[in-house]
């Protein structure tokens, strides 16, 4: 049995037992023949059968037992890819390299992301492998320069195809006029010499050998390496039409249909239409990646830094963590940081989707790339370079755009096998019409579809060849291959514009299949800190007095409930003096003394132990407790003064978000460690009817699993750091309120803002994106399903019409363009909630600014 | 890497022989069938056979090359 041997670099081994563990796990894998682990060298030499196990499985097994295989990632810029089969070729070439674990190629971006094991393979080898299958590759440069180069490359392609089009289109038009000069009013305006076959040959030849040359060269380059792509379909189509035309012109008796069936106009128009398609694709394809370009443009270039008391302007790359930076009104914030002096409002809409400027005071975070509006302020840099939120967002969006949705697998498979399949079909069509069809069905009076051109004296070979060529020309794997990635690219970009970051395409697809959405309670639905919600006083005492005395008693307390009381008192502008004595009584409350009077603040037990009569307050206390609130009684000099209720409060827009999700047909569940009564009280306020209460933090993931086992497709919304296991377990984990530290997050979807309604926005965008994917796939598949049989002649026996190659070329170019244009419609898409928000801001600019959610 | 070149050339040579042979066989079958059925002109028979040969080459080239490349890799590794 043939064995493959690799030497894997392993991190984390410290002793012989580590080596034994790794040897043990690797030897246990079916297909592994020999393992030799060298602890000192940090390597494992593995001999395995590549037919039964692959490198990725070996790496995964090592990782499963707690060690890491040193891997690296690189991004290659690939040029020369034109369709989905090119993607399959490049991916195949990269995956065949020993040491490559994963290779994902994105046609729209012209990028290949490769995860590999350094030492086994190098980027230079990857480039050679890509070149070997007929494409150009180079390691991608980061940031704006890469963007500029990519734009330059696209501009060059647009210019090149534009020039070809300018050359091919007029000549093709002349050839068409010459071919049909006997029809309609053409005899009156088209000179006779233009209809001469040799003139048509003279006009067609430069079109085929000029703009059409690229298809012959590219397909030959691919064929030499054993790969086929769209160029081959074009080349065989153009070549066959041109070849028959030449034969029929110079050897009219050869039996290809004679002079009445020259196909010069087919060859010329076919070339012109294909070049038109290439030109339009080059123009439109770049626009689907506009979101990433917009984000990259946000990257500031210079910063005003205060060093040694001097204000100096430096390139943003020279800013270091800890630098004090000055920002004036109208200036862009260069890096991430924390405000230390000054006050301003900052427009963060470009990164968070927040429509209103956000106020910034000392202590507040600012994000690099956002725009300062009104005031000047100084801030201390906390993250620079690749660590800034903007750089992380760009990286995440790029990764998501380059990832593949599960739905794409079918499309990729179809596109990858399409070219071969179509050529095989072309043989079958030819053989059928040659041996059976022509004899049975051919009618000399039959015509081309939408053409006055009669088939006339065309022979069996010419007719069979015509249909075979038309099948090759009309089929369009490009549309199938572009359908999903172009929509995913547009969707992830659109989501980023609204502060929603999908980590990959799978998250988008999964988000559209959800049935249940689970919210963590504390910190997600509620603020996670108690607040005073009710103050009730006995007769003759005001609520302010109750709050004042309670705050006085709690002034030295560090208990969260005490802090809530103090915050409430300060919020009402009450001045609280210091108590003369203070004592915390664990499990009961506090006891304080002021001007000789004893103040008690605590639960029933505390009051009972001091013999305080609470009968006047009991009904209200019980009602508040039923709402899940914690009640604290206040007594002064052994007389009850009143009570205070404290509860965790809902986050802004929580109720609206839940209502909208329910309206979208989702079942909303609340997950919390709180006791059932408190949890149900909060759930009632929110309108949630299913509560999973008293769930320990470590059991949250198990609860999600249980819901999944019940048949639900579950999204979990929570804190990306603390709820990480539950987010990972969910079909879609949504980390909310990540702010600027995106790298820490574990969810499949990251919401930059803390606004719960962004969950609705995320699902809305996911649904719109998948709708677009399905529309694109529908059009691509329906086009090929309908057009190929028609081109193969299924309608001929009944209607006596065939599709001409030039019409086939036009339809083919149109189908691919339809998919791109349909995707481009997403550029104008705004989620419903954002549309309403913008309408509100326009209608009530001041009122809308209050609940900013920040 | 240098030792890979002769192997690569050998794979290319074997592939070319195989797909050309398969395509020629397909073309020959076509020509034989057309001759046996009768009623076709020389141009139709020869032209048809040429078209079948061309399309067969296009279909078999990537399949055969990939097959030999895969086999060659296994053989060279197995021998190492």
């Amino acid at each position: 049995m043939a064995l493959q041997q690799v030497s894997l670099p392993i991190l984390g081994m410290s002793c012989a037992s580590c080596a034994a563990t790794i040897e043990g796990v690797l030897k246990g894998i079916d297909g592994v023949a020999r393992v030799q682990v060298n602890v000192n060298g940090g390597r494992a030499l593995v001999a395995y059968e590549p037919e039964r196990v692959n490198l990725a499985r070996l790496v995964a097994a090592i990782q499963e037992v707690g060690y890491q295989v040193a891997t690296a990632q690189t991004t290659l810029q690939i040029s020369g890819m034109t369709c989905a089969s090119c993607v399959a070729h490049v991916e195949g070439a990269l995956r065949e390299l020993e040491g490559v674990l994963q290779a994902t190629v994105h046609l729209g971006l012209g990028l290949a992301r490769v995860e590999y094991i350094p030492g086994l393979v190098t980027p230079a080898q990857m480039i050679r492998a890509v070149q070997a299958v007929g494409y150009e590759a180079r390691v991608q440069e980061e940031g704006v320069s890469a963007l500029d180069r990519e734009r330059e490359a696209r501009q060059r392609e647009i210019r090149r195809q534009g020039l070809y089009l300018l050359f091919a289109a007029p000549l093709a038009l002349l050839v068409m006029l010459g071919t049909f000069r006997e029809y309609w009013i053409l005899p009156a305006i088209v000179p006779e010499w233009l209809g001469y076959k040799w003139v048509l040959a003279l006009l067609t030849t430069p079109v085929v050998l000029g703009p059409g040359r690229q298809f012959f060269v590219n397909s030959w380059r691919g064929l030499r390496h054993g790969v086929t792509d769209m160029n081959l379909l074009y080349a065989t189509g153009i070549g066959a039409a041109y070849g028959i035309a030449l034969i029929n012109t110079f050897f009219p008796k050869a039996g290809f249909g004679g002079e009445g069936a020259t196909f010069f106009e087919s060859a010329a128009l076919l070339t012109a239409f294909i070049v038109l398609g290439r030109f339009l694709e080059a123009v439109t394809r770049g626009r689907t990646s506009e979101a990433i370009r917009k984000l990259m443009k946000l990257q500031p270039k210079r910063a005003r830094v205060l060093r040694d008391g001097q204000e100096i302007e430096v390139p943003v790359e020279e800013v270091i963590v800890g630098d004090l930076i000055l920002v004036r009104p109208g200036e862009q914030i260069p890096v991430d940081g924390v405000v230390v002096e000054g006050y301003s409002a900052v427009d963060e809409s470009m990164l968070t989707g927040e429509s209103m400027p956000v106020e910034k005071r000392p202590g507040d975070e600012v994000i690099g790339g956002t725009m300062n509006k009104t005031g000047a302020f100084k801030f201390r840099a906390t993250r620079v370079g690749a660590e800034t939120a903007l750089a992380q967002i760009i990286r995440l969006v790029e990764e998501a755009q380059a990832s593949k949705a599960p739905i794409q697998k079918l499309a990729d498979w179809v596109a990858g096998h399409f070219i071969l399949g179509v050529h095989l079909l072309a043989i079958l069509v030819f053989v059928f019409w040659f041996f059976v069809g022509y004899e049975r069905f051919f009618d000399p009076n039959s015509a081309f579809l939408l053409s006055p051109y009669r088939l006339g004296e065309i022979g069996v070979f010419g007719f069979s060849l015509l249909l075979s060529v038309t099948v090759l020309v009309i089929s369009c794997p490009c549309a199938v291959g572009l359908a999903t990635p172009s929509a995913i690219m547009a969707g992830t970009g659109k989501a980023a514009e609204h502060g929603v970051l999908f980590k990959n395409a799978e998250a988008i697809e999964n988000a559209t299949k959800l049935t249940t959405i689970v919210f963590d309670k504390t910190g997600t639905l509620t603020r996670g800190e108690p607040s005073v919600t009710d103050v009730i006083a006995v007769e003759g005492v005001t609520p302010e007095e109750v709050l004042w005395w309670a705050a006085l008693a709690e002034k030295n307390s560090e208990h969260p409930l005490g802090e809530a009381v103090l915050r409430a008192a300060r919020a009402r502008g009450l001045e609280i003096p210091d108590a003369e004595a203070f004592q915390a009584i664990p499990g009961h409350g506090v006891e304080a003394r002021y001007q000789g009077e004893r103040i008690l603040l605590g639960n029933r037990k505390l009051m009972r132990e001091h013999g305080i009569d609470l009968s006047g307050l009991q009904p209200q206390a019980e009602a508040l407790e039923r709402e899940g609130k914690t009640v604290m009684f206040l007594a002064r000099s052994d007389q009850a003064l009143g009570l205070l209720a404290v509860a965790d409060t809902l986050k802004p827009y929580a109720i609206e978000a839940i209502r909208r999700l329910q309206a979208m047909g989702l079942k909303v569940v609340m997950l919390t460690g709180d006791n059932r009564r408190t949890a149900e009280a909060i759930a009632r306020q929110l309108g949630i009817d299913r509560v999973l209460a008293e769930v320990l933090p470590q059991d949250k993931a198990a609860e999600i699993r249980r819901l999944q086992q019940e048949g639900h497709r579950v999204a979990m919304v929570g804190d990306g750091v603390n709820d990480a296991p539950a987010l990972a377990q969910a079909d879609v984990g949504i980390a909310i309120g990540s702010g600027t530290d995106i790298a820490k997050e574990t969810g499949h979807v990251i919401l930059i803002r803390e606004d719960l309604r962004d969950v609705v926005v995320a699902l809305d965008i996911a649904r719109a994106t998948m709708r677009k994917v399905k529309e694109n796939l529908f059009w691509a598949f329906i086009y090929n399903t309908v057009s190929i049989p028609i081109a193969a002649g299924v309608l001929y026996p009944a209607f006596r019409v065939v599709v001409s190659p030039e019409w086939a070329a036009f339809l083919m170019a149109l189908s691919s363009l339809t998919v791109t244009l349909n995707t481009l419609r997403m550029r104008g898409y705004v989620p419903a909630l954002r549309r309403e928000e913008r309408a509100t801001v326009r209608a009530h600019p001041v009122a809308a600014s209050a609940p900013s959610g920040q | 890497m240098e030792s890979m070149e002769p192997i690569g050339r050998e794979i290319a040579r074997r592939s070319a022989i195989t797909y050309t042979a398969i395509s020629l066989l397909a073309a020959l079958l076509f020509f034989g069938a057309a001759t046996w059925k009768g009623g076709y002109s020389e141009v139709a028979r020869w032209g048809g056979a040429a078209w079948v040969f061309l399309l067969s080459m296009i279909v078999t080239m990537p399949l055969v090359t990939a097959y030999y490349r895969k086999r060659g890799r296994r053989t060279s590794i197995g021998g190492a």
Side-chain angles (χ1 to χ4, degrees), chain A residues 81-85 87 106-110 230 234 277 280-282 284-286 288 408 411-412 415-416 476-490 772-777 780-781 784 812-824:
Chain A
M81 291 194 296
T82 52
C83 65
S85 63
V87 171
H106 194 280
L107 177 64
L109 295 172
M230 276 300 282
Y234 303 151
L280 291 175
E281 260 181 55
T284 52
R285 202 179 282 177
T288 54
Q408 200 177 335
D412 273 358
C476 186
C478 276
V480 179
L482 275 176
T484 309
S486 66
I488 293 290
M489 204 153 87
K772 199 56 72 185
V773 166
K774 286 173 185 166
E775 279 171 19
N776 285 351
L777 282 175
F781 277 109
N784 283 294
M812 185 275 301
L814 205 66
S815 77
S816 163
L817 199 67
T818 308
V819 165
T820 313
L821 289 175
N822 188 40
T823 299
L824 280 179

Side-chain angles (χ1 to χ4, degrees), chain A residues 18-170:
Chain A
C18 300
T21 307
I22 292 168
E23 278 187 10
V25 72
L26 290 175
K27 280 179 180 167
I29 298 172
D30 193 29
V32 171
R34 285 191 307 275
V35 183
Q36 202 180 339
V37 179
N38 178 350
V39 179
N40 295 328
R43 300 190 88 86
L45 197 65
V46 189
Y48 64 98
E49 293 169 33
E51 292 300 297
R52 294 168 68 192
V53 64
N54 61 21
L55 202 55
R57 172 76 189 92
L58 301 179
V59 172
I62 294 167
Q63 287 168 343
E64 275 165 25
V65 289
Y67 301 91
Q68 290 299 318
V69 175
T71 61
Q73 283 195 341
T74 189
T75 305
L76 303 178
Q77 276 184 303
I78 315 284
S79 50
M81 291 194 296
T82 52
C83 65
S85 63
C86 303
V87 171
H89 298 147
V90 176
E91 282 183 354
L94 290 168
R95 284 177 188 159
E96 276 185 12
L97 290 172
E98 183 189 327
V100 169
L101 297 172
Q102 179 76 24
T104 313
V105 173
H106 194 280
L107 177 64
L109 295 172
L111 294 179
R113 290 192 188 283
V114 190
E115 190 186 3
Y116 66 101
I117 300 176
L120 293 186
V121 64
T122 63
Q125 285 172 299
M126 295 173 205
I127 289 171
R128 278 201 295 276
V130 173
Q131 285 168 338
V133 289
Y135 304 91
E136 281 306 315
R138 65 159 182 264
V139 175
Q140 190 199 21
E141 292 167 55
E142 293 295 330
V144 178
S145 63
L147 184 75
D148 290 343
R149 281 179 191 280
E150 182 245 320
R151 195 173 36 225
E152 273 172 30
R154 179 166 291 117
Q155 290 300 338
R156 264 202 311 276
E157 178 68 5
I158 291 171
R159 255 198 316 274
R160 192 167 77 107
Q161 299 299 348
L163 282 174
Y164 282 158
L165 188 63
L166 279 178
F167 181 76

Side-chain angles (χ1 to χ4, degrees), chain A residues 100-373:
Chain A
V100 169
L101 297 172
Q102 179 76 24
T104 313
V105 173
H106 194 280
L107 177 64
L109 295 172
L111 294 179
R113 290 192 188 283
V114 190
E115 190 186 3
Y116 66 101
I117 300 176
L120 293 186
V121 64
T122 63
Q125 285 172 299
M126 295 173 205
I127 289 171
R128 278 201 295 276
V130 173
Q131 285 168 338
V133 289
Y135 304 91
E136 281 306 315
R138 65 159 182 264
V139 175
Q140 190 199 21
E141 292 167 55
E142 293 295 330
V144 178
S145 63
L147 184 75
D148 290 343
R149 281 179 191 280
E150 182 245 320
R151 195 173 36 225
E152 273 172 30
R154 179 166 291 117
Q155 290 300 338
R156 264 202 311 276
E157 178 68 5
I158 291 171
R159 255 198 316 274
R160 192 167 77 107
Q161 299 299 348
L163 282 174
Y164 282 158
L165 188 63
L166 279 178
F167 181 76
L171 285 178
L173 192 69
L174 284 176
V175 174
M176 193 180 76
L177 288 173
T179 305
F180 298 118
R181 71 165 298 281
E182 288 167 19
Y183 298 94
W184 196 41
I185 57 163
L186 295 181
I189 50 172
V190 178
E192 192 182 343
W193 56 266
L194 196 59
Y196 297 162
K197 299 300 172 196
W198 62 271
V199 173
L200 296 179
L202 271 181
L203 290 172
T204 305
T205 303
V207 176
V208 173
L209 299 183
R213 186 173 170 272
Q214 54 181 324
F215 309 123
F216 294 98
V217 171
N218 291 342
S219 55
W220 173 241
R221 205 168 51 179
L223 274 176
R224 264 174 43 212
H225 297 283
V227 294
T228 53
D229 62 8
M230 276 300 282
N231 289 300
L232 191 59
L233 290 178
Y234 303 151
T236 24
I238 296 168
Y242 182 64
I244 295 172
L246 281 182
I247 292 170
N248 280 342
T249 302
F250 298 108
F251 307 99
K253 305 284 179 208
F256 282 69
E259 284 191 3
T262 54
F263 293 117
F264 283 119
E265 90 291 354
S266 293
L269 285 171
L270 188 55
T271 311
F273 281 136
I274 295 168
V275 170
L276 172 71
R278 283 273 163 103
F279 171 74
L280 291 175
E281 260 181 55
V283 171
T284 52
R285 202 179 282 177
R287 295 195 182 153
T288 54
S289 61
E290 208 162 71
I292 203 91
R293 190 167 291 118
K294 270 190 204 166
L295 285 171
M296 282 182 169
K297 274 186 189 162
L298 289 177
Q299 286 178 324
K301 292 194 167 44
R302 302 190 75 77
R304 215 185 289 279
V305 182
L306 293 166
R307 284 181 187 156
D308 304 321
Q310 295 285 311
E311 183 189 310
I312 50 169
E313 205 177 289
V314 297
V316 76
E317 294 81 15
E318 289 178 19
V319 177
I320 55 170
V321 171
D323 267 344
L324 198 60
I325 297 164
L326 177 69
V327 185
R328 297 200 173 117
E331 283 183 352
Q332 207 178 11
I333 295 166
V335 294
D336 295 356
V338 176
V339 177
V340 291
E341 193 186 315
Y343 168 83
S344 187
V346 173
D347 177 5
E348 294 184 343
S349 60
M350 57 290 277
L351 289 182
T352 65
E354 171 65 63
S355 51
M356 296 302 296
V358 181
E359 291 179 1
K360 297 291 176 186
R361 294 186 170 84
D364 287 342
E365 275 194 352
V366 286
I367 314 171
T370 55
M371 187 60 77
N372 181 31
K373 302 290 276 187

Side-chain angles (χ1 to χ4, degrees), chain A residues 538 613-620:
Chain A
V538 296
D613 177 20
L614 297 176
S615 53
L617 293 167
Q618 279 299 7
Q620 294 101 316

